[in-house]
Amino acid sequence: MKKALITGITGQDGSYLSELLFDKGYEVHGLVRRNSSVKRERIDHMRDRNTAARSAAPGSASRFILHYGDLADAASMLKLMYDVQPDEVYNLAAQSHVGISFGMPEYTFDVTATGALRLLDAIKQAGLAKKTRFYQASSSEMYGKVQAVPQTETTPFWPRSPYACAKVAAYWLTVNYREAYGIHASNGILFNHESPRRSENFVTRKITQTAARIKVGLEKKLALGNIEAKRDWGYAKEYVEAMHLMVQQDAGDDYVVATNETHSVRDFLAATFGALDLDWKDYVVHDTAFDRPSEVDLLIGDYSKAKKVLGWEPKTRMQGLAKLMVESDLAAAKRELQLKTLVPA
């Protein structure tokens, strides 16, 4: 039985990846930070699945195990490698909000860049360089002020935020440890990937959630920043499949994971509100508080290499993605409205 360690397991990608690996028979280990507020809604169901699996095979060991630790603490990373002895490590943890990175640049760099270094070095120090395969969650934000359209694995990086700078550093650290120590290490340069599990402070989820609440009367307006920015949006549940495929290859490498389509935030608004039979122009207002000091205007990824080498390609496009997200948020908004009706303030 293979063992996989996922950092960022409580996030969108971590929850989908844990499901995928669990279904493939892995023993799934997840890194979580200890804090006073235990919020693990995205992976709570994994405990139930683990219990069901053990009930179906009496005497079997747990296959979903959480460990306390922090990417800011090198000692805990090294201890984790010794304790788990993972076959695969997926580094999905980061301070991943671009806007927040401008206000917290040092923290962003420490967790996102130096955190990746601590993981890679823990693999080396624990004597696992030849055993453990490593996946680094790289980002399309690294391209920033794009130097070519569409972006490929050879397009130069020009980061435009502290987050993007941190991701560039983590990318090159992954390449360096692959070349210097022979670690099977891969970078997945994932373009924007969304789902109903996306955090509410990301623009796509903010749009679908607020639009759904407007539909049922719980909200009246949606405040946004730059709606002309263009992104390549895909479905997170499909993108984690590409992560796993990279780690199964004979050698580590770097891959763009994208849809090769670009749409503006305006387009996403139209798709979302349109799915609810609403006109977004009646509800959206501009708020300069959401404007960034430097903006990334256009991202579109060429996934040809992933298709050729991994056999991976996207199935869900922007219109379908917006629809599945807003339908999920509409169901949640209706439940909230029902509760407010039953229990008035």
Side-chain angles (χ1 to χ4, degrees):
M1 184 185 298
K2 285 186 177 180
K3 294 182 182 179
L5 170 66
I6 304 172
T7 72
I9 196 169
T10 60
Q12 169 189 253
D13 294 4
S15 66
Y16 282 124
L17 182 61
S18 65
E19 290 174 354
L20 177 71
L21 297 179
F22 192 88
D23 288 344
K24 289 182 178 294
Y26 279 67
E27 183 177 295
V28 179
H29 296 257
L31 177 69
V32 294
R33 288 179 297 172
R34 185 184 291 277
N35 53 47
S36 58
S37 176
V38 180
K39 295 185 68 176
R40 299 174 187 162
E41 294 91 345
R42 296 187 187 94
I43 60 168
D44 281 342
H45 67 289
M46 290 301 299
R47 291 183 179 275
D48 296 333
R49 293 181 67 178
N50 185 51
T51 300
R54 296 187 70 184
S55 297
S60 61
S62 176
R63 290 200 295 114
F64 185 74
I65 305 158
L66 299 180
H67 304 264
Y68 286 114
D70 198 309
L71 286 180
D73 179 18
S76 68
M77 294 303 96
L78 182 57
K79 182 178 185 301
L80 195 57
M81 293 303 163
Y82 277 119
D83 289 348
V84 176
Q85 298 281 306
D87 298 288
E88 300 170 7
V89 172
Y90 296 84
N91 183 31
L92 311 184
Q95 190 304 97
S96 57
H97 194 279
V98 174
I100 290 173
S101 76
F102 284 100
M104 304 176 66
E106 182 179 348
Y107 173 77
T108 298
F109 203 89
D110 184 47
V111 173
T112 306
T114 314
L117 173 61
R118 293 182 184 110
L119 270 176
L120 284 161
D121 209 57
I123 291 171
K124 177 176 73 74
Q125 294 292 345
L128 299 174
K130 301 304 180 184
K131 167 186 169 64
T132 301
R133 298 185 173 196
F134 179 81
Y135 170 84
Q136 168 62 25
S138 291
S139 168
S140 59
E141 289 287 332
M142 301 188 303
Y143 294 117
K145 189 176 179 180
V146 297
Q147 303 301 292
V149 178
Q151 292 87 56
T152 72
E153 292 80 5
T154 59
T155 302
F157 302 137
W158 193 318
R160 300 270 284 169
S161 67
Y163 166 75
C165 291
K167 282 294 188 180
V168 170
Y171 172 95
W172 285 115
L173 284 164
T174 301
V175 173
N176 180 249
Y177 271 67
R178 181 170 71 212
E179 295 176 349
Y181 304 110
I183 296 176
H184 187 299
S186 296
N187 281 292
I189 308 173
L190 271 59
F191 281 62
N192 294 65
H193 47 291
E194 321 296 319
S195 77
R197 299 181 188 178
R198 188 58 141 159
S199 295
E200 297 164 9
N201 58 347
F202 286 85
V203 68
T204 51
R205 184 70 196 291
K206 181 180 179 180
I207 289 170
T208 61
Q209 186 179 62
T210 307
R213 291 171 64 81
I214 288 172
K215 180 68 175 179
V216 301
L218 291 171
E219 298 280 355
K220 293 182 178 180
K221 294 292 180 181
L222 168 60
L224 295 174
N226 177 22
I227 65 170
E228 303 306 330
K230 294 182 177 180
R231 295 292 184 270
D232 183 326
W233 280 301
Y235 186 21
K237 189 173 183 178
E238 297 169 1
Y239 281 33
V240 300
E241 296 171 3
M243 299 177 189
H244 179 254
L245 287 168
M246 289 178 210
V247 178
Q248 309 316 306
Q249 302 307 302
D250 292 337
D253 205 346
D254 311 313
Y255 301 87
V256 164
V257 179
T259 70
N260 200 28
E261 293 182 3
T262 189
H263 299 276
S264 66
V265 176
R266 181 189 293 269
D267 296 333
F268 196 90
L269 281 167
T272 300
F273 279 81
L276 299 171
D277 296 320
L278 299 174
D279 186 342
W280 69 268
K281 299 184 189 70
D282 295 333
Y283 306 99
V284 175
V285 295
H286 181 256
D287 188 338
T288 57
F290 297 112
D291 292 338
R292 296 170 181 170
S294 55
E295 183 61 85
V296 175
D297 297 317
L298 170 64
L299 292 174
I300 176 170
D302 181 347
Y303 65 90
S304 299
K305 181 178 177 180
K307 182 177 181 180
K308 179 181 179 180
V309 179
L310 307 178
W312 179 91
E313 58 183 320
K315 302 177 185 69
T316 305
R317 306 295 174 153
M318 188 276 286
Q319 294 279 349
L321 178 64
K323 186 173 185 294
L324 72 87
M325 289 176 67
V326 78
E327 286 177 348
S328 174
D329 281 325
L330 181 60
K334 287 178 177 178
R335 289 193 296 270
E336 181 181 346
L337 182 64
Q338 185 178 32
L339 285 173
K340 284 181 178 291
T341 303
L342 294 172
V343 188

PDB file of all heavy atoms in Angstrom, residues 124-153:
ATOM      1  N   LYS A 124      15.358  14.993   1.901  1.00  0.00           N
ATOM      2  CA  LYS A 124      16.786  14.679   1.747  1.00  0.00           C
ATOM      3  C   LYS A 124      17.401  14.253   3.083  1.00  0.00           C
ATOM      4  O   LYS A 124      18.094  13.226   3.157  1.00  0.00           O
ATOM      5  CB  LYS A 124      17.528  15.904   1.197  1.00  0.00           C
ATOM      6  CG  LYS A 124      19.038  15.715   1.075  1.00  0.00           C
ATOM      7  CD  LYS A 124      19.693  16.919   0.429  1.00  0.00           C
ATOM      8  CE  LYS A 124      19.761  18.114   1.334  1.00  0.00           C
ATOM      9  NZ  LYS A 124      20.794  17.970   2.410  1.00  0.00           N
ATOM     10  N   GLN A 125      17.134  15.014   4.135  1.00  0.00           N
ATOM     11  CA  GLN A 125      17.752  14.739   5.438  1.00  0.00           C
ATOM     12  C   GLN A 125      17.281  13.410   6.020  1.00  0.00           C
ATOM     13  O   GLN A 125      18.024  12.741   6.741  1.00  0.00           O
ATOM     14  CB  GLN A 125      17.418  15.879   6.421  1.00  0.00           C
ATOM     15  CG  GLN A 125      18.017  17.220   6.066  1.00  0.00           C
ATOM     16  CD  GLN A 125      19.524  17.260   6.199  1.00  0.00           C
ATOM     17  OE1 GLN A 125      20.151  16.385   6.811  1.00  0.00           O
ATOM     18  NE2 GLN A 125      20.156  18.276   5.618  1.00  0.00           N
ATOM     19  N   ALA A 126      16.051  13.005   5.686  1.00  0.00           N
ATOM     20  CA  ALA A 126      15.523  11.741   6.203  1.00  0.00           C
ATOM     21  C   ALA A 126      15.984  10.543   5.379  1.00  0.00           C
ATOM     22  O   ALA A 126      15.585   9.405   5.654  1.00  0.00           O
ATOM     23  CB  ALA A 126      14.000  11.797   6.244  1.00  0.00           C
ATOM     24  N   GLY A 127      16.817  10.785   4.385  1.00  0.00           N
ATOM     25  CA  GLY A 127      17.326   9.694   3.559  1.00  0.00           C
ATOM     26  C   GLY A 127      16.304   9.135   2.586  1.00  0.00           C
ATOM     27  O   GLY A 127      16.376   7.959   2.193  1.00  0.00           O
ATOM     28  N   LEU A 128      15.343   9.975   2.180  1.00  0.00           N
ATOM     29  CA  LEU A 128      14.244   9.511   1.318  1.00  0.00           C
ATOM     30  C   LEU A 128      14.359  10.013  -0.118  1.00  0.00           C
ATOM     31  O   LEU A 128      13.392   9.903  -0.888  1.00  0.00           O
ATOM     32  CB  LEU A 128      12.905   9.973   1.909  1.00  0.00           C
ATOM     33  CG  LEU A 128      12.568   9.460   3.319  1.00  0.00           C
ATOM     34  CD1 LEU A 128      11.298  10.120   3.828  1.00  0.00           C
ATOM     35  CD2 LEU A 128      12.428   7.955   3.323  1.00  0.00           C
ATOM     36  N   ALA A 129      15.522  10.560  -0.484  1.00  0.00           N
ATOM     37  CA  ALA A 129      15.676  11.164  -1.813  1.00  0.00           C
ATOM     38  C   ALA A 129      15.389  10.183  -2.937  1.00  0.00           C
ATOM     39  O   ALA A 129      14.892  10.576  -4.004  1.00  0.00           O
ATOM     40  CB  ALA A 129      17.074  11.753  -1.967  1.00  0.00           C
ATOM     41  N   LYS A 130      15.699   8.913  -2.738  1.00  0.00           N
ATOM     42  CA  LYS A 130      15.490   7.910  -3.783  1.00  0.00           C
ATOM     43  C   LYS A 130      14.129   7.213  -3.665  1.00  0.00           C
ATOM     44  O   LYS A 130      13.705   6.518  -4.587  1.00  0.00           O
ATOM     45  CB  LYS A 130      16.598   6.858  -3.746  1.00  0.00           C
ATOM     46  CG  LYS A 130      17.999   7.421  -3.941  1.00  0.00           C
ATOM     47  CD  LYS A 130      18.118   8.209  -5.253  1.00  0.00           C
ATOM     48  CE  LYS A 130      19.527   8.768  -5.424  1.00  0.00           C
ATOM     49  NZ  LYS A 130      19.632   9.609  -6.659  1.00  0.00           N
ATOM     50  N   LYS A 131      13.455   7.397  -2.530  1.00  0.00           N
ATOM     51  CA  LYS A 131      12.180   6.719  -2.281  1.00  0.00           C
ATOM     52  C   LYS A 131      10.979   7.625  -2.543  1.00  0.00           C
ATOM     53  O   LYS A 131      10.006   7.224  -3.204  1.00  0.00           O
ATOM     54  CB  LYS A 131      12.118   6.231  -0.825  1.00  0.00           C
ATOM     55  CG  LYS A 131      10.726   5.778  -0.354  1.00  0.00           C
ATOM     56  CD  LYS A 131      10.740   5.448   1.138  1.00  0.00           C
ATOM     57  CE  LYS A 131       9.344   5.254   1.713  1.00  0.00           C
ATOM     58  NZ  LYS A 131       8.620   4.113   1.147  1.00  0.00           N
ATOM     59  N   THR A 132      11.042   8.847  -2.036  1.00  0.00           N
ATOM     60  CA  THR A 132       9.870   9.710  -1.996  1.00  0.00           C
ATOM     61  C   THR A 132       9.773  10.588  -3.239  1.00  0.00           C
ATOM     62  O   THR A 132      10.741  11.262  -3.617  1.00  0.00           O
ATOM     63  CB  THR A 132       9.899  10.606  -0.743  1.00  0.00           C
ATOM     64  OG1 THR A 132       9.923   9.773   0.417  1.00  0.00           O
ATOM     65  CG2 THR A 132       8.695  11.513  -0.688  1.00  0.00           C
ATOM     66  N   ARG A 133       8.609  10.596  -3.838  1.00  0.00           N
ATOM     67  CA  ARG A 133       8.345  11.451  -4.995  1.00  0.00           C
ATOM     68  C   ARG A 133       7.619  12.707  -4.521  1.00  0.00           C
ATOM     69  O   ARG A 133       6.705  12.626  -3.688  1.00  0.00           O
ATOM     70  CB  ARG A 133       7.530  10.693  -6.044  1.00  0.00           C
ATOM     71  CG  ARG A 133       8.292   9.478  -6.574  1.00  0.00           C
ATOM     72  CD  ARG A 133       7.566   8.780  -7.707  1.00  0.00           C
ATOM     73  NE  ARG A 133       8.411   7.735  -8.288  1.00  0.00           N
ATOM     74  CZ  ARG A 133       8.198   7.169  -9.470  1.00  0.00           C
ATOM     75  NH1 ARG A 133       7.147   7.547 -10.206  1.00  0.00           N
ATOM     76  NH2 ARG A 133       9.007   6.239  -9.922  1.00  0.00           N
ATOM     77  N   PHE A 134       8.000  13.845  -5.094  1.00  0.00           N
ATOM     78  CA  PHE A 134       7.535  15.142  -4.584  1.00  0.00           C
ATOM     79  C   PHE A 134       6.789  15.911  -5.666  1.00  0.00           C
ATOM     80  O   PHE A 134       7.242  15.994  -6.810  1.00  0.00           O
ATOM     81  CB  PHE A 134       8.739  15.956  -4.109  1.00  0.00           C
ATOM     82  CG  PHE A 134       8.405  17.326  -3.568  1.00  0.00           C
ATOM     83  CD1 PHE A 134       7.956  17.476  -2.272  1.00  0.00           C
ATOM     84  CD2 PHE A 134       8.565  18.461  -4.357  1.00  0.00           C
ATOM     85  CE1 PHE A 134       7.657  18.744  -1.761  1.00  0.00           C
ATOM     86  CE2 PHE A 134       8.275  19.726  -3.859  1.00  0.00           C
ATOM     87  CZ  PHE A 134       7.821  19.865  -2.559  1.00  0.00           C
ATOM     88  N   TYR A 135       5.634  16.460  -5.289  1.00  0.00           N
ATOM     89  CA  TYR A 135       4.872  17.320  -6.195  1.00  0.00           C
ATOM     90  C   TYR A 135       4.773  18.708  -5.588  1.00  0.00           C
ATOM     91  O   TYR A 135       4.361  18.863  -4.424  1.00  0.00           O
ATOM     92  CB  TYR A 135       3.454  16.769  -6.418  1.00  0.00           C
ATOM     93  CG  TYR A 135       2.570  17.757  -7.138  1.00  0.00           C
ATOM     94  CD1 TYR A 135       2.588  17.835  -8.534  1.00  0.00           C
ATOM     95  CD2 TYR A 135       1.758  18.648  -6.446  1.00  0.00           C
ATOM     96  CE1 TYR A 135       1.811  18.775  -9.205  1.00  0.00           C
ATOM     97  CE2 TYR A 135       0.976  19.585  -7.106  1.00  0.00           C
ATOM     98  CZ  TYR A 135       1.010  19.639  -8.479  1.00  0.00           C
ATOM     99  OH  TYR A 135       0.253  20.575  -9.141  1.00  0.00           O
ATOM    100  N   GLN A 136       5.134  19.719  -6.366  1.00  0.00           N
ATOM    101  CA  GLN A 136       5.026  21.113  -5.932  1.00  0.00           C
ATOM    102  C   GLN A 136       3.909  21.807  -6.704  1.00  0.00           C
ATOM    103  O   GLN A 136       3.886  21.798  -7.932  1.00  0.00           O
ATOM    104  CB  GLN A 136       6.349  21.853  -6.155  1.00  0.00           C
ATOM    105  CG  GLN A 136       6.270  23.367  -6.004  1.00  0.00           C
ATOM    106  CD  GLN A 136       5.853  23.822  -4.609  1.00  0.00           C
ATOM    107  OE1 GLN A 136       6.050  23.088  -3.627  1.00  0.00           O
ATOM    108  NE2 GLN A 136       5.275  24.997  -4.509  1.00  0.00           N
ATOM    109  N   ALA A 137       2.992  22.405  -5.953  1.00  0.00           N
ATOM    110  CA  ALA A 137       1.888  23.146  -6.567  1.00  0.00           C
ATOM    111  C   ALA A 137       2.388  24.509  -7.018  1.00  0.00           C
ATOM    112  O   ALA A 137       2.432  25.469  -6.242  1.00  0.00           O
ATOM    113  CB  ALA A 137       0.742  23.293  -5.575  1.00  0.00           C
ATOM    114  N   SER A 138       2.783  24.599  -8.276  1.00  0.00           N
ATOM    115  CA  SER A 138       3.187  25.872  -8.851  1.00  0.00           C
ATOM    116  C   SER A 138       1.966  26.574  -9.431  1.00  0.00           C
ATOM    117  O   SER A 138       0.879  25.993  -9.515  1.00  0.00           O
ATOM    118  CB  SER A 138       4.267  25.665  -9.911  1.00  0.00           C
ATOM    119  OG  SER A 138       5.479  25.243  -9.298  1.00  0.00           O
ATOM    120  N   SER A 139       2.139  27.817  -9.855  1.00  0.00           N
ATOM    121  CA  SER A 139       0.979  28.629 -10.194  1.00  0.00           C
ATOM    122  C   SER A 139       1.169  29.420 -11.480  1.00  0.00           C
ATOM    123  O   SER A 139       2.275  29.892 -11.784  1.00  0.00           O
ATOM    124  CB  SER A 139       0.696  29.612  -9.047  1.00  0.00           C
ATOM    125  OG  SER A 139      -0.236  30.594  -9.416  1.00  0.00           O
ATOM    126  N   SER A 140       0.085  29.611 -12.207  1.00  0.00           N
ATOM    127  CA  SER A 140       0.121  30.452 -13.403  1.00  0.00           C
ATOM    128  C   SER A 140       0.451  31.897 -13.065  1.00  0.00           C
ATOM    129  O   SER A 140       0.898  32.661 -13.932  1.00  0.00           O
ATOM    130  CB  SER A 140      -1.231  30.396 -14.118  1.00  0.00           C
ATOM    131  OG  SER A 140      -2.271  30.841 -13.269  1.00  0.00           O
ATOM    132  N   GLU A 141       0.243  32.295 -11.810  1.00  0.00           N
ATOM    133  CA  GLU A 141       0.587  33.660 -11.404  1.00  0.00           C
ATOM    134  C   GLU A 141       2.073  33.940 -11.584  1.00  0.00           C
ATOM    135  O   GLU A 141       2.485  35.104 -11.635  1.00  0.00           O
ATOM    136  CB  GLU A 141       0.183  33.888  -9.948  1.00  0.00           C
ATOM    137  CG  GLU A 141      -1.311  33.982  -9.718  1.00  0.00           C
ATOM    138  CD  GLU A 141      -1.930  35.282 -10.209  1.00  0.00           C
ATOM    139  OE1 GLU A 141      -1.226  36.311 -10.234  1.00  0.00           O
ATOM    140  OE2 GLU A 141      -3.121  35.268 -10.577  1.00  0.00           O
ATOM    141  N   MET A 142       2.888  32.907 -11.683  1.00  0.00           N
ATOM    142  CA  MET A 142       4.328  33.097 -11.901  1.00  0.00           C
ATOM    143  C   MET A 142       4.599  33.804 -13.223  1.00  0.00           C
ATOM    144  O   MET A 142       5.598  34.499 -13.368  1.00  0.00           O
ATOM    145  CB  MET A 142       5.056  31.753 -11.869  1.00  0.00           C
ATOM    146  CG  MET A 142       4.900  30.986 -10.572  1.00  0.00           C
ATOM    147  SD  MET A 142       5.943  29.498 -10.465  1.00  0.00           S
ATOM    148  CE  MET A 142       5.434  28.580 -11.904  1.00  0.00           C
ATOM    149  N   TYR A 143       3.722  33.632 -14.201  1.00  0.00           N
ATOM    150  CA  TYR A 143       3.924  34.254 -15.512  1.00  0.00           C
ATOM    151  C   TYR A 143       3.661  35.756 -15.465  1.00  0.00           C
ATOM    152  O   TYR A 143       4.260  36.520 -16.230  1.00  0.00           O
ATOM    153  CB  TYR A 143       3.015  33.604 -16.558  1.00  0.00           C
ATOM    154  CG  TYR A 143       3.346  32.165 -16.834  1.00  0.00           C
ATOM    155  CD1 TYR A 143       2.429  31.156 -16.547  1.00  0.00           C
ATOM    156  CD2 TYR A 143       4.573  31.792 -17.369  1.00  0.00           C
ATOM    157  CE1 TYR A 143       2.715  29.826 -16.803  1.00  0.00           C
ATOM    158  CE2 TYR A 143       4.872  30.460 -17.619  1.00  0.00           C
ATOM    159  CZ  TYR A 143       3.938  29.486 -17.336  1.00  0.00           C
ATOM    160  OH  TYR A 143       4.228  28.170 -17.580  1.00  0.00           O
ATOM    161  N   GLY A 144       2.734  36.174 -14.609  1.00  0.00           N
ATOM    162  CA  GLY A 144       2.498  37.588 -14.352  1.00  0.00           C
ATOM    163  C   GLY A 144       2.345  38.456 -15.583  1.00  0.00           C
ATOM    164  O   GLY A 144       1.357  38.385 -16.305  1.00  0.00           O
ATOM    165  N   LYS A 145       3.341  39.280 -15.824  1.00  0.00           N
ATOM    166  CA  LYS A 145       3.371  40.137 -17.020  1.00  0.00           C
ATOM    167  C   LYS A 145       3.817  39.245 -18.173  1.00  0.00           C
ATOM    168  O   LYS A 145       4.992  39.133 -18.493  1.00  0.00           O
ATOM    169  CB  LYS A 145       4.350  41.290 -16.810  1.00  0.00           C
ATOM    170  CG  LYS A 145       4.307  42.345 -17.900  1.00  0.00           C
ATOM    171  CD  LYS A 145       5.240  43.497 -17.542  1.00  0.00           C
ATOM    172  CE  LYS A 145       5.236  44.564 -18.630  1.00  0.00           C
ATOM    173  NZ  LYS A 145       6.144  45.700 -18.285  1.00  0.00           N
ATOM    174  N   VAL A 146       2.848  38.599 -18.794  1.00  0.00           N
ATOM    175  CA  VAL A 146       3.146  37.470 -19.671  1.00  0.00           C
ATOM    176  C   VAL A 146       4.042  37.850 -20.843  1.00  0.00           C
ATOM    177  O   VAL A 146       3.879  38.900 -21.464  1.00  0.00           O
ATOM    178  CB  VAL A 146       1.857  36.790 -20.179  1.00  0.00           C
ATOM    179  CG1 VAL A 146       1.080  36.216 -19.011  1.00  0.00           C
ATOM    180  CG2 VAL A 146       0.987  37.741 -20.975  1.00  0.00           C
ATOM    181  N   GLN A 147       4.994  36.955 -21.133  1.00  0.00           N
ATOM    182  CA  GLN A 147       5.968  37.164 -22.201  1.00  0.00           C
ATOM    183  C   GLN A 147       5.626  36.394 -23.464  1.00  0.00           C
ATOM    184  O   GLN A 147       6.311  36.525 -24.484  1.00  0.00           O
ATOM    185  CB  GLN A 147       7.363  36.752 -21.702  1.00  0.00           C
ATOM    186  CG  GLN A 147       7.805  37.500 -20.457  1.00  0.00           C
ATOM    187  CD  GLN A 147       7.851  39.006 -20.670  1.00  0.00           C
ATOM    188  OE1 GLN A 147       8.677  39.504 -21.425  1.00  0.00           O
ATOM    189  NE2 GLN A 147       6.951  39.729 -20.016  1.00  0.00           N
ATOM    190  N   ALA A 148       4.579  35.569 -23.406  1.00  0.00           N
ATOM    191  CA  ALA A 148       4.122  34.817 -24.576  1.00  0.00           C
ATOM    192  C   ALA A 148       2.685  34.380 -24.334  1.00  0.00           C
ATOM    193  O   ALA A 148       2.272  34.187 -23.193  1.00  0.00           O
ATOM    194  CB  ALA A 148       5.007  33.596 -24.815  1.00  0.00           C
ATOM    195  N   VAL A 149       1.921  34.267 -25.407  1.00  0.00           N
ATOM    196  CA  VAL A 149       0.525  33.828 -25.328  1.00  0.00           C
ATOM    197  C   VAL A 149       0.302  32.724 -26.350  1.00  0.00           C
ATOM    198  O   VAL A 149       0.559  32.937 -27.540  1.00  0.00           O
ATOM    199  CB  VAL A 149      -0.446  35.005 -25.591  1.00  0.00           C
ATOM    200  CG1 VAL A 149      -1.895  34.522 -25.551  1.00  0.00           C
ATOM    201  CG2 VAL A 149      -0.224  36.133 -24.584  1.00  0.00           C
ATOM    202  N   PRO A 150      -0.150  31.537 -25.931  1.00  0.00           N
ATOM    203  CA  PRO A 150      -0.412  31.112 -24.555  1.00  0.00           C
ATOM    204  C   PRO A 150       0.889  30.810 -23.815  1.00  0.00           C
ATOM    205  O   PRO A 150       1.967  30.790 -24.412  1.00  0.00           O
ATOM    206  CB  PRO A 150      -1.262  29.853 -24.747  1.00  0.00           C
ATOM    207  CG  PRO A 150      -0.743  29.271 -26.035  1.00  0.00           C
ATOM    208  CD  PRO A 150      -0.463  30.452 -26.905  1.00  0.00           C
ATOM    209  N   GLN A 151       0.788  30.551 -22.514  1.00  0.00           N
ATOM    210  CA  GLN A 151       1.958  30.242 -21.712  1.00  0.00           C
ATOM    211  C   GLN A 151       2.226  28.729 -21.703  1.00  0.00           C
ATOM    212  O   GLN A 151       1.303  27.929 -21.582  1.00  0.00           O
ATOM    213  CB  GLN A 151       1.760  30.735 -20.272  1.00  0.00           C
ATOM    214  CG  GLN A 151       1.719  32.244 -20.139  1.00  0.00           C
ATOM    215  CD  GLN A 151       0.317  32.824 -20.348  1.00  0.00           C
ATOM    216  OE1 GLN A 151      -0.617  32.433 -19.668  1.00  0.00           O
ATOM    217  NE2 GLN A 151       0.166  33.758 -21.282  1.00  0.00           N
ATOM    218  N   THR A 152       3.499  28.378 -21.847  1.00  0.00           N
ATOM    219  CA  THR A 152       3.926  26.985 -21.831  1.00  0.00           C
ATOM    220  C   THR A 152       4.960  26.779 -20.730  1.00  0.00           C
ATOM    221  O   THR A 152       5.298  27.711 -19.990  1.00  0.00           O
ATOM    222  CB  THR A 152       4.547  26.578 -23.177  1.00  0.00           C
ATOM    223  OG1 THR A 152       5.841  27.213 -23.309  1.00  0.00           O
ATOM    224  CG2 THR A 152       3.663  26.978 -24.350  1.00  0.00           C
ATOM    225  N   GLU A 153       5.501  25.575 -20.671  1.00  0.00           N
ATOM    226  CA  GLU A 153       6.531  25.262 -19.665  1.00  0.00           C
ATOM    227  C   GLU A 153       7.812  26.063 -19.882  1.00  0.00           C
ATOM    228  O   GLU A 153       8.624  26.191 -18.945  1.00  0.00           O
ATOM    229  CB  GLU A 153       6.857  23.764 -19.698  1.00  0.00           C
ATOM    230  CG  GLU A 153       5.744  22.864 -19.229  1.00  0.00           C
ATOM    231  CD  GLU A 153       4.671  22.597 -20.271  1.00  0.00           C
ATOM    232  OE1 GLU A 153       4.826  23.055 -21.439  1.00  0.00           O
ATOM    233  OE2 GLU A 153       3.661  21.935 -19.943  1.00  0.00           O
TER     234      GLU A 153
END
